[in-house]
Amino acid sequence: GWARFFSLMNCFGAGICGLVLSNSLFFTYVFLELLTLATYLLVGFWYAQPLVITGARDAFWTKRVGDIILLMGVIAIYPIAGTWNFTDLAIWAQTAQLDPTVGLLLGLALSAGPLGKCAQIPFQLWLDEAMEAPIPATVLRNAVVVGAGAFVLIKLAPVISLSSILLNILIVLGVATSICCSLISIAQIDLKRVLSYVLSAYIGLVFIAVGTQNLDSARFILFNESFGMALLYMSVGSIIWTNITQDLTQLGGLWSRRPFTALSMLVAATSFIALPPLGGFWGFLQLVGSLW
Protein backbone atom coordinates (compact mmCIF):
# COMPACT_ATOMS: atom_id res chain seq x y z
CA GLY A 1 0.00 0.00 0.00
CA TRP A 2 2.92 2.41 -0.48
CA ALA A 3 1.24 4.23 -3.38
CA ARG A 4 -2.00 4.60 -1.45
CA PHE A 5 -0.17 5.80 1.65
CA PHE A 6 1.88 8.49 -0.07
CA SER A 7 -1.07 9.70 -2.15
CA LEU A 8 -3.07 10.14 1.08
CA MET A 9 -0.12 11.96 2.68
CA ASN A 10 -0.01 14.29 -0.33
CA CYS A 11 -3.74 14.89 0.06
CA PHE A 12 -3.00 15.76 3.69
CA GLY A 13 -0.27 18.16 2.63
CA ALA A 14 -2.50 19.80 0.02
CA GLY A 15 -5.16 20.45 2.64
CA ILE A 16 -2.64 22.03 5.00
CA CYS A 17 -1.12 24.24 2.29
CA GLY A 18 -4.56 25.38 1.15
CA LEU A 19 -5.60 26.11 4.73
CA VAL A 20 -2.56 28.31 5.35
CA LEU A 21 -2.84 30.16 2.03
CA SER A 22 -6.62 30.73 2.15
CA ASN A 23 -7.94 34.08 3.35
CA SER A 24 -11.55 32.99 2.93
CA LEU A 25 -13.59 31.40 5.70
CA PHE A 26 -15.56 29.35 3.17
CA PHE A 27 -12.50 27.84 1.49
CA THR A 28 -10.90 27.32 4.89
CA TYR A 29 -13.90 25.13 5.70
CA VAL A 30 -13.41 23.24 2.42
CA PHE A 31 -9.75 22.54 3.25
CA LEU A 32 -10.69 21.46 6.79
CA GLU A 33 -13.05 18.93 5.22
CA LEU A 34 -10.23 17.68 3.00
CA LEU A 35 -8.10 17.16 6.12
CA THR A 36 -10.95 15.31 7.83
CA LEU A 37 -11.29 12.94 4.87
CA ALA A 38 -7.52 12.36 4.71
CA THR A 39 -7.47 11.71 8.48
CA TYR A 40 -10.22 9.09 8.14
CA LEU A 41 -8.39 7.29 5.32
CA LEU A 42 -4.98 7.41 7.03
CA VAL A 43 -6.25 6.29 10.44
CA GLY A 44 -7.96 3.37 8.67
CA PHE A 45 -4.90 2.61 6.55
CA TRP A 46 -4.50 -0.93 7.95
CA TYR A 47 -8.09 -1.68 6.99
CA ALA A 48 -7.78 -5.45 7.59
CA GLN A 49 -7.78 -4.85 11.38
CA PRO A 50 -11.23 -4.32 12.99
CA LEU A 51 -9.83 -2.04 15.73
CA VAL A 52 -8.32 0.26 13.10
CA ILE A 53 -11.64 0.56 11.25
CA THR A 54 -13.40 1.40 14.51
CA GLY A 55 -10.80 4.07 15.35
CA ALA A 56 -11.08 5.68 11.91
CA ARG A 57 -14.87 5.73 12.09
CA ASP A 58 -14.94 7.22 15.60
CA ALA A 59 -12.41 9.91 14.66
CA PHE A 60 -14.38 10.78 11.51
CA TRP A 61 -17.80 11.07 13.15
CA THR A 62 -16.53 12.98 16.19
CA LYS A 63 -14.97 15.64 13.96
CA ARG A 64 -18.04 15.53 11.71
CA VAL A 65 -20.16 16.94 14.54
CA GLY A 66 -17.89 19.97 14.97
CA ASP A 67 -17.58 20.48 11.22
CA ILE A 68 -21.35 20.49 10.64
CA ILE A 69 -21.84 23.11 13.37
CA LEU A 70 -18.97 25.12 11.84
CA LEU A 71 -20.71 24.98 8.44
CA MET A 72 -23.82 26.46 10.06
CA GLY A 73 -21.68 29.34 11.35
CA VAL A 74 -19.99 29.83 7.96
CA ILE A 75 -23.38 30.08 6.24
CA ALA A 76 -24.87 32.32 8.95
CA ILE A 77 -22.09 34.89 9.05
CA TYR A 78 -22.25 35.82 5.36
CA PRO A 79 -25.61 37.66 5.39
CA ILE A 80 -24.62 39.35 8.67
CA ALA A 81 -21.11 40.51 7.73
CA GLY A 82 -21.43 40.40 3.93
CA THR A 83 -18.05 38.71 3.48
CA TRP A 84 -16.06 35.54 4.14
CA ASN A 85 -12.68 37.26 3.87
CA PHE A 86 -10.78 37.07 7.18
CA THR A 87 -9.29 40.56 6.76
CA ASP A 88 -12.70 42.11 6.04
CA LEU A 89 -14.29 40.15 8.90
CA ALA A 90 -11.72 41.62 11.31
CA ILE A 91 -12.53 45.15 10.08
CA TRP A 92 -16.27 44.45 10.32
CA ALA A 93 -15.95 43.09 13.87
CA GLN A 94 -14.42 46.36 15.10
CA THR A 95 -17.67 48.27 14.53
CA ALA A 96 -20.27 45.46 14.50
CA GLN A 97 -23.33 45.92 16.68
CA LEU A 98 -24.77 42.45 17.19
CA ASP A 99 -27.46 41.23 19.52
CA PRO A 100 -25.63 39.41 22.37
CA THR A 101 -27.55 36.19 21.73
CA VAL A 102 -26.75 36.28 18.00
CA GLY A 103 -23.09 37.00 18.74
CA LEU A 104 -22.92 34.10 21.19
CA LEU A 105 -24.60 31.60 18.86
CA LEU A 106 -22.49 32.72 15.89
CA GLY A 107 -19.28 32.47 17.91
CA LEU A 108 -20.21 29.03 19.29
CA ALA A 109 -20.86 27.74 15.78
CA LEU A 110 -17.55 29.09 14.48
CA SER A 111 -15.68 27.69 17.50
CA ALA A 112 -17.14 24.18 17.19
CA GLY A 113 -14.92 23.23 14.22
CA PRO A 114 -11.65 24.23 15.94
CA LEU A 115 -12.80 22.51 19.15
CA GLY A 116 -13.29 19.26 17.24
CA LYS A 117 -10.07 19.55 15.25
CA CYS A 118 -8.03 20.33 18.38
CA ALA A 119 -9.56 17.45 20.38
CA GLN A 120 -10.80 19.71 23.15
CA ILE A 121 -13.56 18.81 25.59
CA PRO A 122 -16.12 17.47 24.65
CA PHE A 123 -14.44 16.21 21.43
CA GLN A 124 -11.23 14.96 23.04
CA LEU A 125 -11.67 11.21 22.49
CA TRP A 126 -11.13 11.08 18.70
CA LEU A 127 -7.40 11.81 18.95
CA ASP A 128 -6.88 8.74 21.13
CA GLU A 129 -8.67 6.58 18.54
CA ALA A 130 -6.64 8.14 15.71
CA MET A 131 -3.39 6.68 17.08
CA GLU A 132 -3.97 3.66 14.83
CA ALA A 133 -2.52 5.62 11.88
CA PRO A 134 1.02 4.82 10.64
CA ILE A 135 3.77 6.78 12.39
CA PRO A 136 4.54 9.30 9.55
CA ALA A 137 0.84 10.18 9.31
CA THR A 138 0.68 10.51 13.11
CA VAL A 139 3.63 12.92 13.08
CA LEU A 140 2.01 15.14 10.45
CA ARG A 141 -1.47 15.04 11.95
CA ASN A 142 -0.55 15.63 15.59
CA ALA A 143 2.16 18.20 14.91
CA VAL A 144 0.36 20.19 12.21
CA VAL A 145 -3.26 19.22 11.56
CA VAL A 146 -4.44 19.41 15.18
CA GLY A 147 -2.78 22.82 15.37
CA ALA A 148 -4.63 23.83 12.20
CA GLY A 149 -7.86 24.01 14.20
CA ALA A 150 -6.24 26.43 16.65
CA PHE A 151 -4.82 28.38 13.69
CA VAL A 152 -8.36 28.88 12.32
CA LEU A 153 -9.60 29.88 15.79
CA ILE A 154 -6.90 32.57 16.01
CA LYS A 155 -7.91 33.93 12.59
CA LEU A 156 -11.55 34.05 13.77
CA ALA A 157 -10.63 35.75 17.07
CA PRO A 158 -11.99 39.21 16.07
CA VAL A 159 -15.44 37.70 15.42
CA ILE A 160 -15.32 35.50 18.52
CA SER A 161 -14.45 38.53 20.67
CA LEU A 162 -17.91 40.00 19.92
CA SER A 163 -19.28 37.80 22.71
CA SER A 164 -17.69 38.10 26.17
CA ILE A 165 -19.65 35.03 27.29
CA LEU A 166 -18.05 32.95 24.52
CA LEU A 167 -14.58 34.14 25.52
CA ASN A 168 -15.25 32.89 29.06
CA ILE A 169 -16.51 29.58 27.66
CA LEU A 170 -13.28 29.15 25.67
CA ILE A 171 -11.23 29.83 28.81
CA VAL A 172 -13.22 27.26 30.81
CA LEU A 173 -12.93 24.64 28.06
CA GLY A 174 -9.19 25.31 27.69
CA VAL A 175 -8.57 25.00 31.44
CA ALA A 176 -10.75 21.87 31.72
CA THR A 177 -9.03 20.20 28.76
CA SER A 178 -5.54 21.06 30.01
CA ILE A 179 -6.20 19.63 33.48
CA CYS A 180 -8.31 16.59 32.52
CA CYS A 181 -6.18 15.46 29.58
CA SER A 182 -2.98 15.88 31.61
CA LEU A 183 -4.41 13.57 34.29
CA ILE A 184 -5.65 11.07 31.67
CA SER A 185 -2.23 10.96 29.99
CA ILE A 186 -0.61 9.99 33.30
CA ALA A 187 -2.82 6.88 33.42
CA GLN A 188 -2.02 5.73 29.85
CA ILE A 189 0.46 2.93 29.15
CA ASP A 190 0.50 3.17 25.33
CA LEU A 191 3.31 5.42 24.12
CA LYS A 192 1.34 7.16 21.37
CA ARG A 193 -1.80 7.59 23.46
CA VAL A 194 0.17 9.34 26.21
CA LEU A 195 1.28 11.96 23.70
CA SER A 196 -2.22 12.32 22.22
CA TYR A 197 -3.60 13.51 25.56
CA VAL A 198 -0.52 15.66 26.20
CA LEU A 199 -1.22 17.34 22.86
CA SER A 200 -4.87 18.05 23.75
CA ALA A 201 -3.76 19.50 27.09
CA TYR A 202 -1.16 21.75 25.47
CA ILE A 203 -3.55 23.03 22.80
CA GLY A 204 -5.91 23.91 25.65
CA LEU A 205 -3.43 26.69 26.49
CA VAL A 206 -4.04 28.18 23.03
CA PHE A 207 -7.78 28.32 23.79
CA ILE A 208 -7.01 30.07 27.08
CA ALA A 209 -4.86 32.60 25.20
CA VAL A 210 -7.58 33.21 22.60
CA GLY A 211 -10.24 33.49 25.31
CA THR A 212 -8.19 36.16 27.07
CA GLN A 213 -7.43 37.85 23.71
CA ASN A 214 -3.68 37.23 23.96
CA LEU A 215 -3.32 36.34 20.28
CA ASP A 216 0.46 36.82 20.10
CA SER A 217 0.85 34.32 22.96
CA ALA A 218 -1.53 31.93 21.19
CA ARG A 219 0.56 32.04 17.99
CA PHE A 220 3.79 31.56 19.93
CA ILE A 221 2.46 28.56 21.88
CA LEU A 222 1.03 27.02 18.69
CA PHE A 223 4.34 27.51 16.86
CA ASN A 224 6.22 25.82 19.70
CA GLU A 225 3.70 22.97 19.82
CA SER A 226 4.24 22.12 16.16
CA PHE A 227 8.01 21.72 16.49
CA GLY A 228 7.96 20.06 19.91
CA MET A 229 5.23 17.54 19.07
CA ALA A 230 6.85 16.66 15.73
CA LEU A 231 10.12 15.97 17.56
CA LEU A 232 8.37 13.85 20.20
CA TYR A 233 6.47 11.75 17.68
CA MET A 234 9.53 11.17 15.50
CA SER A 235 11.39 10.03 18.62
CA VAL A 236 8.50 7.76 19.58
CA GLY A 237 8.49 6.39 16.02
CA SER A 238 12.13 5.34 16.29
CA ILE A 239 11.30 3.54 19.56
CA ILE A 240 8.23 1.75 18.16
CA TRP A 241 9.95 0.66 14.94
CA THR A 242 12.86 -0.93 16.83
CA ASN A 243 10.82 -2.70 19.53
CA ILE A 244 8.09 -5.30 19.58
CA THR A 245 5.88 -3.22 21.88
CA GLN A 246 4.83 0.35 22.63
CA ASP A 247 3.68 -0.53 26.16
CA LEU A 248 5.44 1.89 28.53
CA THR A 249 5.47 -0.69 31.33
CA GLN A 250 7.74 -2.92 29.21
CA LEU A 251 10.14 -0.19 28.06
CA GLY A 252 13.09 1.44 29.81
CA GLY A 253 16.75 2.36 29.59
CA LEU A 254 16.29 4.62 26.57
CA TRP A 255 19.29 6.81 27.30
CA SER A 256 21.77 3.91 27.31
CA ARG A 257 20.35 2.26 24.17
CA ARG A 258 19.15 5.19 22.02
CA PRO A 259 21.06 8.30 23.13
CA PHE A 260 20.09 10.45 20.12
CA THR A 261 16.42 9.54 20.50
CA ALA A 262 16.61 10.25 24.22
CA LEU A 263 18.22 13.63 23.55
CA SER A 264 15.49 14.53 21.05
CA MET A 265 12.76 13.61 23.52
CA LEU A 266 14.51 15.56 26.27
CA VAL A 267 14.70 18.72 24.14
CA ALA A 268 11.02 18.50 23.18
CA ALA A 269 9.89 17.75 26.74
CA THR A 270 12.03 20.58 28.12
CA SER A 271 10.36 22.98 25.72
CA PHE A 272 6.88 21.75 26.64
CA ILE A 273 7.44 22.26 30.36
CA ALA A 274 8.71 25.78 29.62
CA LEU A 275 12.31 25.60 30.75
CA PRO A 276 14.53 28.37 29.30
CA PRO A 277 15.98 29.01 26.80
CA LEU A 278 13.65 26.89 24.61
CA GLY A 279 10.55 28.24 22.87
CA GLY A 280 7.96 27.03 25.36
CA PHE A 281 9.45 29.27 28.05
CA TRP A 282 8.99 32.46 26.02
CA GLY A 283 5.47 31.54 24.96
CA PHE A 284 4.45 30.81 28.57
CA LEU A 285 6.22 33.94 29.81
CA GLN A 286 4.28 36.07 27.35
CA LEU A 287 0.95 34.43 28.25
CA VAL A 288 1.48 34.57 32.03
CA GLY A 289 2.66 38.19 31.79
CA SER A 290 -0.47 39.15 29.84
CA LEU A 291 -2.77 37.29 32.24
CA TRP A 292 -1.11 38.88 35.25
Side-chain angles (χ1 to χ4, degrees), residues 2-3 63-64 68 106 116 119 131 135 194 226 243 254 264 286:
W2 286 112
K63 292 202 291 183
R64 184 89 285 107
I68 290 174
L106 185 63
M131 291 301 106
I135 287 286
V194 169
S226 297
N243 289 277
L254 179 63
S264 298
Q286 191 175 19

Side-chain angles (χ1 to χ4, degrees), residues 10 37 63 80-81 102 115 130 133 153 168 183 235 238 278:
N10 285 334
L37 175 62
K63 292 202 291 183
I80 298 174
V102 173
L115 280 169
L153 185 72
N168 290 328
L183 295 175
S235 302
S238 75
L278 298 174

